[in-house]
Amino acid sequence: MTYTQQAPGAATPVLELSGVAKQFGTVRALSGVNLRLFAGEVHALMGQNGAGKSTLIKVLTGVYQADQGDMRLGGKSIRATSTLDAQRLGISTVYQEVNLCPNLSVAENIFAGRYPRKGLAGAWAIDWARMQREARALLARLNLDIDVTQTLASYSVAVQQMVAIARGLSISAQVLILDEPTSSLDDEEVERLYGVLRQLRDQGMAILFVTHFLDQVYALCDRITVLRNGELVGEYPAAELGHNALIAAMVGREMVANPAQVAGASADVKKEQAVLLQARGLARAGSVKPLDLTLHRGEVVGLGGLLGSGRTELARVLFGLDQSDAGELIINDSPVKMDSPAEAIRLGLGLCPEDRKAEGIIGELSVRENIALALQARQGLWPCISRAKQVEMAEYYVKTLGIKTSNIEAPIGQLSGGNQQKAVLGRWLATKPSLLILDEPTRGIDIAAKQEIMNEILVLAKEGMAVLFISSEMEEVVRLSDRIVVMRDRAKVGELPGGTDDHAVYAMIAGQA
Amino acid sequence: QKKIVVGFSQIGAESEWRTANTNSMKTAAAAAGIELKFSDAQQKQENQIKALRSFIAQKVDVIALTPVVESGWDTVLKEIKDAKIPLILMDRSVDSKDTSLYATHIGFDFVKEGEMAGQWLVEKAKTMKGDINVVELQGTVGSAPAIDRKKGFEAAIKAEPRIKIIRSQTGDFTRAKGKEVMEAFLKAEGKKINVLYAHNDDMGIGAIQAIEEAGLKPAKDILVISVDGVKGAFEAMIAGKLNVTVECSPLLGPLVMSTAKDLAAGKTVPRSLIGKDGVYPMETAAKEFPSRQY
Amino acid sequence: MSTVDQSSWVQRVQTHHLLWPLVTLTLILMVNASLNPGFWMLQWRDGHLYGSVIDILNRASPLMLVALGMTLVIATRGIDISVGATVAISAAVAALMVGGKLVITDGVAQHVSRFPMWLAIGCALLTALACGLWNGVLVAKIGLQPIIATLILMVAGRGVAQLLTDGQIVTVYYAPYFFIGSGYLWGLPFALFIAGFVYLVMHLAVTRTALGLFIQAIGINPAAARLAGVRERLISICVYAFCGLTAGAAGLIISSNVKSADGNNAGNLLELDAILAVTLGGTLLTGGRFSLAGSLIGALIIQTLTSTIYSIGVPPEINLVVKAAVVFVVMLMQSAEFRRAVRGWVMRPSAGSKA
Amino acid sequence: MKLATKYIPLAATVSLFAVMSAFGSLSYNGFFSAQVFLNLLVDNAFLVVVAVGMTFVILSGGIDLSVGSVVALSTIVLAKLVEHWHWHLAVAIPLVLCMGALFGAFMGWLIQRFRLQPFIVTLAGMFLARGLCYLISIDSISITDAAYTVLAQTRIHLWADGPMLSISAILALVVLAVAVFLAHCTQFGRTVYAIGGSEHSAVLMGLPVARTNVAVYALSGFCAALGGVVFTFYMLSGYGLHAVGLELDAIAAVVIGGTLLSGGVGYMLGTLFGVLTLGIIQTLIMFDGSLSSWWTRIVIGALLFVFCVLQRVFEARKK
Ligand SMILES: Nc1ncnc2c1ncn2[C@@H]1O[C@H](COP(=O)(O)OP(=O)(O)OP(=O)(O)O)[C@@H](O)[C@H]1O
Ligand SMILES: Nc1ncnc2c1ncn2[C@@H]1O[C@H](COP(=O)(O)OP(=O)(O)OP(=O)(O)O)[C@@H](O)[C@H]1O
Ligand SMILES: [Mg+2]
Ligand SMILES: [Mg+2]
């Protein structure tokens, strides 16, 4: 493997890791990894799902203790034994998944551990007013204007992710680490974040950045370190590593990044297909305004909209997680009362939720059990899917979706983020639903896997499954959908045919504003 | 004329003896035309203190108290005295130095019960040969009857050096525990055991079952002594399974009510009134049984 | 080849979730046996086995039953502190309905019950089931926190039991009823067979149906389980109801064993023992993974400990200190973190001496 | 007036308390007097103190079953020191408080260091403390020390000849005030909430989780010991059977006050009203005075039921 020695200028790295190794039981998550981070650069850490990126970051910040290796910060050897330690050393981290306290207010989550104090009432008392003021100011930098006194749990995952970023930014540090911070943000938010990151870089901060979006890497990063299977592939200047070369380095073989075929092409044929689901004036006070929606068999429908436009809420109402309080829902020509997810599943629906940590995975259960769960729930208590059948099912999806796990009996909570997402998806595909609602299904999934998943979905759609597709990547929505339903402020504002330009969607969102 | 109101703070309903005591108070009050404010403390002294305070707030005419322990009453009794409400102590007394805090004490002594049980055994020992090994089933650790019945018994058996307590364990005053502990005693000590002394009848009855299940004859192979004199104990004695029960009658209601009337009328009453108590050996059980009320 | 097999076998044993509970049980048994020479002695008496071990098994049966029911409740992230009260209620119902007296007809002594025994047992179990159902509805439908929902029944339940029995201890005189709690089958206590049967049924239910999977899913992540289509409320209610039922069965055993029902004292503090048994068996109180066999072992640990305290002549004043010390030791032994720390303490000095 | 959603459980508790008081005042003679309501505080001062400590533990997602036994242990140690060994109060009381805090810290350390379950650690702690009581003395010990008696029996009149409070009641209010400050205005308090919300996240956020966990149990032990001191003011005695089952009362008070047992959500003030609610249920039953022992239990259960269900309904409505 190539390891380029040249560094920007003659400067010594702020942070230098060499020969880091980490093993979990029999899983070798990292072995002999080197990393150099210089002041005033944005450095991308790339690799497929399960390559060891998050583990490397956790070793670096004291969540895990390295089995081997040496870490140097500003030339001095360090060994963080806790996250608190790492923070004290000047390393600020935003971990993958939202690792904040849902019961605390947004402002507190940002300042927890570093509260502004009021002088007089002892150096003890927290200055709440100042904290809220500063929190608002910080979020404003990211263009987020929300009530910072509300609990974090009352906001969507995207907002929570922004709050986590705001927390990371607010810690004045030498090194800032961001593990997939943009996975559920839309383009506009991402642009904002870049602005802030560039500013910090110019002030001399060293930034380590993990993402699966190649465009973002080239837009922002100066150098790239690539990991594969826990091993270092190489360190490259971003400018010198082409798109395809980067993918090759990550995947380990040549692969052409051909976007999945455009689905819209066959839209006309599908129009003929039978209507699967029809919503008339469906509404829920405070979350979805009355809306009509028709889904046909074999059709992929995208939901377009900005953050907080109510797409997740619509999905929840359709799936019976929240009850609608007006309008009607007709499935297969008969009106239904959707009062629980169990009922929805009985009717052949599936929902891959946005927040996989809170609503998706059952952390301590094995990959096998997680994949079998929904199908078993549809069958009821009995008959029980036989162990052999479960194993077969789990192995099938581990293979087709490329889930990287030591074995199918490993607890799903130990999988890397992207692999957890794939397993949850596998759970729903296993039920062979007639309508699958996907809320940010590609969150945190690497570029190679994304293609495979999309192809899998399109194959199923060809076989007659309807798909309702929600994603913060508008380009993805446009490319895959036969039809795009556009939402704004919790209401449907119109429909567009598939294959349209994403600008058309933005125009429709903005047009009637 | 206004009805006399008596506030009565009872310990709880932990045993049949206690329930009989409560019932006696209620029926006596009804018969005497007294309004009884009853409060059950569920075994907690703090609840009793709260009840006493609420009686003060309700301005009752007389207060009757069955204290769960002797100590710790000074503060609230002072408040009662300040409110000029006469107080009758029932069953157990309190250890206040200031005896003006209560008008009278109606009751008896757990120590005395233990002594009577011990004396019966000392008497009986004269007809027995060799060492006399006693196993003891104590009441709940730390509770007043458990401490005093043990104390009294131990004092009484000093008179006969052949009597030895070889095992002593708590049975929490319940049949189930009494049986369980006795089972363990029988396994550990086997045929060495000559006498069982149980701090109440329920544990005694449980232990009798254990003795039978071990293939021994209660009251013959192992003498059984217990305290309280509840119905079950009399049945066991009639069946020839229990040797003796020591009782102090729980039927104190009429005495308390007549005293209460006197106090409400401003009369002075004796400082101390003693309830009826007695020893009921097996032989008298059949005769006594029909006249038992509880 | 064989060495590979062996090492994997050793590893399987070392990581088995029942290892430490079993080690604990063995240790306590050994302590008991060394202080009490007759401990392992078994005699054949009156057509059944007789000895300390039999006593322990017999005494542990009600606790095992309750612990089994409690295991499922705890696995769903709940807790049921009303089991003691349920025991008292079921015992009271059974004892009142069986009642019984000795009648002599045509010179033949006969035990006569007030109601047929099966009806009495049925009613007692139904009442207990109703108690459990009540808890389940409060938790799953109304959404009260489990501890407070079951606290209501814990407080009121004993009152109900005493109300039924009018505050008296109801003695049962109907001999066939005694079989449940003190009868023997094939030389072993009948109560043990009840516990064994319930364990078997539950084991089949959680392994042969999807119940085990669903309960774990609910306990680990209720939101995700619900979203995956698990009917989490229904299952929670059933689990509480079942826990009530096992407590009811325990109530029958206890009342039959002492031939009476004591509304105030029957099953006192049983809830704590049951929860302790479940945790000693390796089930986490935070819900999720559970072990039925572990709970059985936990119950045996507790009963063996109790019986040890009685039979080795610990003075009653220090009963609790001994019990506390054992619980501390047991839980430390079961903590992987503690074992690691001990390994560290042992290794470090020796490594230091080498250097 | 619009009520922030987070205050709803608290508001529910407070208004239901008001309804119960109104009911009592209308139904029973002598109920509606300032002294009866102040007595709720006077009689339950120890419970307030203990429940405040318990609130911190529950907020952090743990539980402490040892508090009742620690109260008993404190009373008996105090009685022994003051009565039998004639120690001065000013030495004996701080010593007992230290003992409680150390006891709690020890349990907290076990829980934190060896990842043990709080439920069993504190259950063992409960056995241990109760057992130590019996080792010190089986019988109850009266406290007759003059200074002590004065402290215990001093009554502070709110106005001349008006209703009065005891020193303990005032102490309880002070403890509550300090706890409110601790919980809402200090790093420690907020860390407790954060741990209750998600311990894993709190660790990743770099909060001092280990230290706080131990401190929470130490605080609870301290409050329990202080509760024990207040208890001796109340009873003037030390006894191994004091405060049996107090832990359940404390947990019930905390939960009724709107704190979630799963941690992270709740208020100190709610705990005060939780205690007062339990107190008023008892007072209602005492004023009624016609219930038999078993009906007393059934009615307590029923009132608890009505209260909790109404609280739920109230919350559901407001949301
Ligand atoms: N606590 C753990 N126990 C066991 N295995 C673990 C644990 N944490 C991570 N692993 C394993 O280590 C490997 C690397 O995981 P890691 O989370 O670092 O991947 P990643 O590169 O961040 O992937 P993703 O892009 O999906 O986030 C995976 O195979 C994972 O299963
Ligand atoms: N940018 C924002 N500004 C203010 N509030 C927001 C914003 N984004 C989301 N929210 C809040 O989060 C809640 C949840 O939004 P929801 O999850 O329905 O959005 P969505 O359309 O699914 O968007 P996405 O899933 O892309 O985040 C909304 O009720 C809204 O109050
Ligand atoms: Mg990752
Ligand atoms: Mg969304």
Side-chain angles (χ1 to χ4, degrees):
Chain A
M1 296 291 144
T2 48
Y3 184 72
T4 41
Q5 276 297 336
Q6 97 244 43
T12 48
V14 188
L15 185 69
E16 185 170 21
L17 308 188
S18 52
V20 172
K22 176 74 196 170
Q23 183 135 2
F24 295 107
T26 54
V27 180
R28 185 173 277 271
L30 293 174
S31 65
V33 173
N34 303 336
L35 179 76
R36 296 184 305 158
L37 205 55
F38 292 89
E41 75 160 341
V42 180
H43 191 120
L45 185 60
M46 304 287 292
Q48 276 184 288
N49 292 132
K53 305 178 292 293
S54 300
T55 307
L56 182 65
I57 288 169
K58 288 184 176 169
V59 165
L60 175 57
T61 54
V63 180
Y64 300 144
Q65 305 303 310
D67 299 334
Q68 272 171 35
D70 189 33
M71 296 191 272
R72 293 172 164 277
L73 186 71
K76 274 205 299 274
S77 184
I78 56 159
R79 167 144 291 201
T81 51
S82 71
T83 46
L84 189 55
D85 250 13
Q87 252 179 47
R88 290 218 187 93
L89 288 168
I91 305 174
S92 161
T93 319
V94 179
Y95 294 95
Q96 191 177 12
E97 312 290 345
V98 178
N99 283 299
L100 297 175
C101 294
N103 58 324
L104 300 185
S105 72
V106 169
E108 265 197 274
N109 265 300
I110 295 177
F111 286 103
R114 300 164 295 112
Y115 297 102
R117 306 296 170 84
K118 258 194 295 227
L120 206 60
W124 284 41
I126 295 169
D127 189 344
W128 287 94
R130 192 171 126 209
M131 186 165 96
Q132 281 156 17
R133 216 167 43 237
E134 287 180 11
R136 264 192 297 272
L138 254 169
L139 290 175
R141 263 175 94 180
L142 296 170
N143 204 21
L144 195 61
D145 179 23
I146 55 173
D147 180 358
V148 294
T149 61
Q150 287 292 314
T151 56
L152 188 77
S154 57
Y155 292 102
S156 67
V157 185
V159 174
Q160 295 185 14
Q161 208 167 45
M162 304 266 266
V163 175
I165 295 171
R167 177 180 169 84
L169 297 180
S170 73
I171 299 174
S172 52
Q174 287 175 281
V175 178
L176 174 65
I177 301 175
L178 300 155
D179 194 353
E180 291 190 36
T182 55
S183 58
S184 51
L185 301 189
D186 66 21
D187 298 346
E188 201 178 325
E189 266 71 28
V190 170
E191 251 337 295
R192 272 274 162 177
L193 176 63
Y194 288 174
V196 177
L197 291 184
R198 287 197 190 98
Q199 210 178 332
L200 289 174
R201 172 187 65 189
D202 296 341
Q203 287 163 11
M205 193 184 261
I207 298 172
L208 186 65
F209 190 80
V210 178
T211 183
H212 288 295
F213 299 109
L214 300 194
D215 303 341
Q216 299 185 356
V217 175
Y218 289 107
L220 185 69
C221 301
D222 305 309
R223 283 176 326 121
I224 305 173
T225 293
V226 180
L227 298 182
R228 190 191 323 133
N229 287 330
E231 285 171 16
L232 180 72
V233 177
E235 185 197 278
Y236 316 91
E240 291 171 20
L241 190 69
H243 216 107
N244 287 344
L246 174 56
I247 294 174
M250 277 162 45
V251 181
R253 64 191 144 88
E254 289 298 327
M255 198 183 111
V256 195
N258 72 317
Q261 79 264 39
V262 176
S266 54
D268 301 334
V269 190
K270 282 174 184 157
K271 274 276 157 51
E272 311 299 315
Q273 300 246 23
V275 173
L276 175 69
L277 174 145
Q278 218 176 354
R280 291 206 203 105
L282 197 67
R284 175 180 159 85
S287 73
V288 179
K289 291 182 189 154
L291 118 177
D292 298 330
L293 183 70
T294 309
L295 298 175
H296 300 92
R297 288 181 188 283
E299 183 183 39
V300 179
V301 175
L303 273 186
L306 297 180
L307 271 187
S309 56
R311 296 165 296 176
T312 299
E313 268 94 341
L314 174 61
R316 291 175 68 91
V317 170
L318 285 178
F319 196 63
L321 260 174
D322 296 331
Q323 265 80 68
S324 60
D325 44 23
E328 58 176 346
L329 195 59
I330 298 161
I331 293 180
N332 287 331
D333 299 329
S334 50
V336 294
K337 194 172 167 302
M338 198 68 86
D339 54 5
S340 71
E343 178 66 12
I345 292 171
R346 202 182 59 77
L347 290 166
L349 270 60
L351 167 67
C352 187
E354 168 180 51
D355 191 347
R356 67 165 166 261
K357 191 173 155 196
E359 300 191 309
I361 60 165
I362 316 256
E364 287 136 57
L365 289 190
S366 66
V367 175
R368 168 178 61 82
E369 286 163 313
N370 266 285
I371 289 179
L373 185 62
L375 185 60
Q376 181 67 65
R378 189 168 71 189
Q379 289 188 7
L381 283 179
W382 211 75
C384 187
I385 304 172
S386 76
R387 176 101 181 200
K389 190 83 189 302
Q390 290 185 19
V391 169
E392 185 193 324
M393 210 156 79
E395 270 167 358
Y396 174 77
Y397 286 105
V398 164
K399 208 163 120 280
T400 27
L401 301 178
I403 301 173
K404 184 167 178 281
T405 170
S406 54
N407 79 61
I408 55 169
E409 297 302 328
I412 197 171
Q414 290 181 1
L415 264 54
S416 78
N419 286 310
Q420 290 176 3
Q421 183 73 35
K422 292 184 210 166
V424 174
L425 201 63
R427 173 195 293 169
W428 290 110
L429 294 179
T431 65
K432 305 259 177 317
S434 52
L435 167 63
L436 183 55
I437 306 170
L438 299 169
D439 196 352
E440 308 278 1
T442 53
R443 229 185 106 208
I445 288 185
D446 69 47
I447 183 147
K450 197 181 269 182
Q451 253 178 49
E452 280 160 34
I453 287 171
M454 285 308 142
N455 288 337
E456 180 81 2
I457 289 170
L458 290 177
V459 167
L460 287 172
K462 278 225 178 71
E463 288 168 10
M465 180 176 79
V467 177
L468 188 65
F469 183 65
I470 304 171
S471 170
S472 50
E473 287 170 80
M474 196 64 76
E475 188 236 352
E476 199 176 62
V477 174
V478 169
R479 181 153 47 81
L480 285 172
S481 310
D482 298 318
R483 197 148 57 85
I484 299 164
V485 172
V486 182
M487 294 191 65
R488 174 166 49 85
D489 289 341
R490 304 165 188 291
K492 177 174 163 183
V493 289
E495 284 192 21
L496 290 167
T500 3
D501 193 24
D502 42 349
H503 295 298
V505 182
Y506 284 122
M508 182 173 259
I509 293 171
Q512 285 134 337
Chain B
Q1 180 206 343
K2 211 180 117 255
K3 231 181 170 186
I4 297 174
V5 182
V6 174
F8 173 38
S9 169
Q10 176 64 290
I11 295 177
E14 74 281 6
S15 64
E16 290 188 320
W17 191 95
R18 190 65 62 197
T19 309
N21 181 241
T22 305
N23 286 341
S24 158
M25 289 290 282
K26 284 191 172 167
T27 45
I34 289 175
E35 186 186 340
L36 189 72
K37 288 266 176 195
F38 174 75
S39 169
D40 177 299
Q42 322 233 343
Q43 255 61 43
K44 289 186 190 160
Q45 189 179 9
E46 60 266 31
N47 287 353
Q48 290 201 296
I49 294 181
K50 287 175 203 169
L52 296 181
R53 292 229 163 90
S54 91
F55 292 150
I56 300 174
Q58 293 176 75
K59 305 193 169 61
V60 298
D61 300 304
V62 179
I63 293 176
L65 166 68
T66 311
V68 60
V69 277
E70 281 191 334
S71 54
W73 296 98
D74 287 18
T75 314
V76 67
L77 295 199
K78 210 160 271 165
E79 284 172 30
I80 293 176
K81 190 182 170 192
D82 291 346
K84 304 198 171 56
I85 301 174
L87 174 70
I88 303 173
L89 295 179
M90 195 171 80
D91 198 353
R92 249 204 151 196
S93 185
V94 299
D95 68 355
S96 302
K97 292 208 180 73
D98 179 1
T99 49
S100 73
L101 290 176
Y102 56 91
T104 180
H105 170 222
I106 300 176
F108 21 62
D109 213 339
F110 296 133
V111 181
K112 177 124 174 282
E113 292 169 347
E115 274 171 16
M116 291 193 296
Q119 281 155 5
W120 182 90
L121 180 60
V122 170
E123 231 7 74
K124 184 87 183 169
K126 294 185 178 144
T127 66
M128 297 160 75
K129 290 190 296 287
D131 275 352
I132 298 168
N133 293 325
V134 181
V135 292
E136 182 184 31
L137 288 174
Q138 299 185 25
T140 307
V141 177
S143 68
I147 296 170
D148 290 354
R149 284 174 185 170
K150 184 176 173 60
K151 215 187 283 170
F153 186 77
E154 282 172 350
I157 58 172
K158 287 230 177 73
E160 174 59 82
R162 284 184 301 141
I163 302 177
K164 273 195 249 34
I165 298 181
I166 53 169
R167 282 294 170 103
S168 183
Q169 182 57 263
T170 172
D172 284 332
F173 284 135
T174 68
R175 284 191 194 184
K177 277 279 169 195
K179 183 172 182 182
E180 186 177 351
V181 175
M182 192 65 199
E183 275 176 359
F185 283 172
L186 286 165
K187 301 290 175 328
E189 300 290 344
K191 297 234 158 59
K192 269 195 343 219
I193 304 170
N194 307 112
V195 179
L196 163 71
Y197 169 49
H199 286 185
N200 79 347
D201 289 334
D202 286 331
M203 289 190 293
I205 292 167
I208 288 172
Q209 293 176 6
I211 297 172
E212 285 181 318
E213 282 170 22
L216 298 170
K217 291 213 167 50
K220 300 197 176 55
D221 298 331
I222 296 176
L223 299 184
V224 185
I225 306 170
S226 69
V227 186
D228 268 1
V230 300
K231 198 161 126 220
F234 276 85
E235 287 174 356
M237 287 197 289
I238 293 171
K241 295 173 178 175
L242 178 72
N243 295 82
V244 63
T245 184
V246 179
E247 92 141 5
C248 36
S249 170
L251 307 179
L252 295 171
L255 186 54
V256 173
M257 290 309 149
S258 65
T259 316
K261 274 191 169 161
D262 289 350
L263 285 170
K267 296 185 202 160
T268 47
V269 296
R271 287 292 302 161
S272 155
L273 297 159
I274 301 296
K276 178 169 151 284
D277 53 22
V279 181
Y280 294 90
M282 199 150 95
E283 297 75 31
T284 65
K287 196 165 75 22
E288 282 287 331
F289 189 62
S291 62
R292 305 293 299 176
Q293 293 179 35
Y294 57 95
Chain C
M1 270 297 278
S2 71
T3 56
V4 173
D5 273 349
Q6 227 164 29
S7 75
S8 81
W9 183 83
V10 168
Q11 205 169 30
R12 273 240 297 284
V13 169
Q14 271 180 352
T15 53
H16 197 275
H17 64 275
L18 290 181
L19 173 71
W20 289 101
L22 277 172
V23 167
T24 315
L25 180 61
T26 320
L27 277 181
I28 298 184
L29 284 171
M30 270 158 47
V31 168
N32 202 333
S34 64
L35 293 173
N36 180 5
F39 183 74
W40 290 115
M41 213 164 60
L42 282 180
Q43 293 170 357
W44 188 262
R45 182 179 288 181
D46 303 335
H48 62 82
L49 288 168
Y50 176 88
S52 299
V53 184
I54 301 295
D55 278 356
I56 291 177
L57 289 175
N58 196 4
R59 288 280 155 209
S61 304
L63 183 57
M64 284 182 185
L65 277 171
V66 179
L68 284 173
M70 184 74 82
T71 309
L72 295 191
V73 171
I74 286 179
T76 60
R77 264 196 200 179
I79 199 156
D80 185 351
I81 56 172
S82 72
V83 286
T86 309
V87 162
I89 293 178
S90 126
V93 170
L96 281 175
M97 287 185 69
V98 171
K101 52 179 180 278
L102 192 69
V103 198
I104 301 180
T105 39
D106 307 333
V108 185
Q110 250 189 326
H111 292 281
V112 181
S113 59
R114 196 174 303 163
F115 291 94
M117 193 167 97
W118 62 265
L119 186 66
I121 292 176
C123 285
L125 289 180
L126 274 183
T127 320
L129 188 74
C131 290
L133 210 57
W134 159 268
N135 285 334
V137 168
L138 287 192
V139 172
K141 275 263 176 318
I142 300 188
L144 297 187
Q145 299 188 50
I147 206 166
I148 217 74
T150 53
L151 178 73
I152 292 171
L153 187 61
M154 181 193 183
V155 175
R158 278 196 188 282
V160 172
Q162 283 186 302
L163 182 69
L164 288 173
T165 62
D166 200 24
Q168 305 291 321
I169 296 177
V170 181
T171 308
V172 181
Y173 301 98
Y174 180 63
Y177 181 68
F178 306 154
F179 185 73
I180 304 174
S182 31
Y184 288 84
L185 188 66
W186 301 318
L188 290 172
F190 180 66
L192 190 63
F193 288 91
I194 301 180
F197 175 74
V198 170
Y199 168 72
L200 211 69
V201 168
M202 287 175 74
H203 180 76
L204 288 181
V206 299
T207 52
R208 293 299 148 85
T209 75
L211 190 65
L213 179 65
F214 289 171
I215 287 178
Q216 290 177 28
I218 294 171
I220 297 168
N221 189 343
R226 183 171 140 77
L227 201 142
V230 178
R231 293 185 185 270
E232 111 272 27
R233 286 191 185 171
L234 187 66
I235 291 181
S236 292
I237 293 179
C238 291
V239 159
Y240 278 93
F242 184 77
C243 184
L245 193 65
T246 55
L252 290 179
I253 295 178
I254 292 174
S255 73
S256 146
N257 187 277
V258 290
K259 306 181 170 108
S260 60
D262 181 347
N264 191 59
N265 293 311
N268 213 359
L269 295 185
L270 191 64
E271 53 280 348
L272 282 188
D273 275 346
I275 296 169
L276 193 58
V278 173
T279 22
L280 290 182
T283 299
L284 292 184
L285 284 169
T286 42
R289 293 276 185 210
F290 63 92
S291 161
L292 293 173
S295 299
L296 290 187
I297 297 173
L300 281 175
I301 293 177
I302 293 175
Q303 192 54 45
T304 313
L305 174 61
T306 315
S307 130
T308 308
I309 288 178
Y310 292 153
S311 57
I312 65 177
V314 174
E317 303 87 75
I318 65 169
N319 277 0
L320 281 174
V321 177
V322 172
K323 196 168 174 182
V326 173
V327 175
F328 272 126
V329 170
V330 167
M331 64 196 180
L332 281 177
M333 250 171 56
Q334 299 199 357
S335 148
E337 199 68 32
F338 179 75
R339 294 198 297 270
R340 198 171 311 142
V342 169
R343 226 170 294 142
W345 294 332
V346 175
M347 305 281 258
R348 210 172 304 145
S350 63
S353 65
K354 257 180 241 157
Chain D
M1 189 190 79
K2 205 169 144 278
L3 205 59
T5 43
K6 54 182 184 174
Y7 294 120
I8 287 175
L10 186 59
T13 313
V14 175
S15 33
L16 281 170
F17 174 76
V19 169
M20 283 194 167
S21 321
F23 171 78
S25 307
L26 292 178
S27 313
Y28 304 112
N29 259 343
F31 193 102
F32 187 69
S33 79
Q35 190 59 53
V36 169
F37 285 91
L38 288 186
N39 275 352
L40 288 181
L41 205 58
V42 172
D43 290 333
N44 292 300
F46 62 93
L47 188 54
V48 172
V49 175
V50 172
V52 159
M54 182 71 83
T55 311
F56 278 105
V57 177
I58 291 183
L59 278 177
S60 80
I63 198 154
D64 188 351
L65 297 180
S66 72
V67 288
S69 307
V70 173
V71 166
L73 184 61
S74 312
T75 64
I76 209 151
V77 169
L78 209 51
K80 190 92 184 168
L81 292 180
V82 171
E83 200 61 24
H84 289 178
W85 297 355
H86 304 290
W87 284 36
H88 195 272
L89 288 191
V91 188
I93 291 180
L95 189 83
V96 165
L97 295 182
C98 280
M99 179 202 74
L102 280 179
F103 190 85
F106 171 66
M107 291 191 301
W109 177 74
L110 284 179
I111 291 167
Q112 170 63 37
R113 177 66 182 77
F114 302 119
R115 308 264 102 213
L116 297 177
Q117 301 196 49
F119 195 96
I120 27 175
V121 173
T122 56
L123 184 66
M126 164 177 157
F127 293 152
L128 182 63
R130 191 70 72 184
L132 290 176
C133 291
Y134 301 143
L135 282 186
I136 296 172
S137 164
I138 292 232
D139 219 338
S140 69
I141 306 173
S142 280
I143 299 175
T144 50
D145 182 273
Y148 221 102
T149 320
V150 170
L151 277 179
Q153 296 181 349
T154 304
R155 288 291 179 273
I156 293 130
H157 290 262
L158 292 192
W159 57 86
D161 285 335
M164 50 205 182
L165 278 175
S166 61
I167 293 185
S168 308
I170 290 167
L171 189 67
L173 289 179
V174 171
V175 167
L176 188 78
V178 172
V180 170
F181 177 79
L182 258 184
H184 297 289
C185 302
T186 67
Q187 161 103 36
F188 167 75
R190 301 322 295 171
T191 308
V192 171
Y193 276 88
I195 294 173
S198 163
E199 181 160 352
H200 182 69
S201 294
V203 170
L204 290 186
M205 283 160 88
L207 301 178
V209 172
R211 181 155 34 100
T212 308
N213 264 339
V214 177
V216 158
Y217 286 92
L219 183 65
S220 172
F222 176 84
C223 283
L226 187 60
V229 173
V230 171
F231 210 81
T232 52
F233 284 148
Y234 192 60
M235 302 283 202
L236 283 176
S237 74
Y239 186 28
L241 283 177
H242 271 331
V244 172
L246 183 71
E247 54 282 344
L248 264 186
D249 288 343
I251 294 171
V254 173
V255 174
I256 287 174
T259 301
L260 289 190
L261 214 55
S262 46
V265 181
Y267 294 96
M268 287 296 154
L269 216 54
T271 299
L272 174 67
F273 278 94
V275 172
L276 294 182
T277 302
L278 289 182
I280 207 158
I281 287 179
Q282 246 181 1
T283 311
L284 283 174
I285 287 171
M286 281 165 189
F287 269 80
D288 187 82
S290 66
L291 297 175
S292 67
S293 300
W294 31 98
W295 275 111
T296 303
R297 288 177 167 178
I298 297 175
V299 171
I300 291 178
L303 287 177
L304 211 57
F305 168 73
V306 170
F307 186 90
C308 293
V309 169
L310 283 181
Q311 199 182 24
R312 285 291 306 165
V313 170
F314 194 94
E315 278 175 47
R317 273 280 188 75
K318 279 279 174 170
K319 271 175 191 161

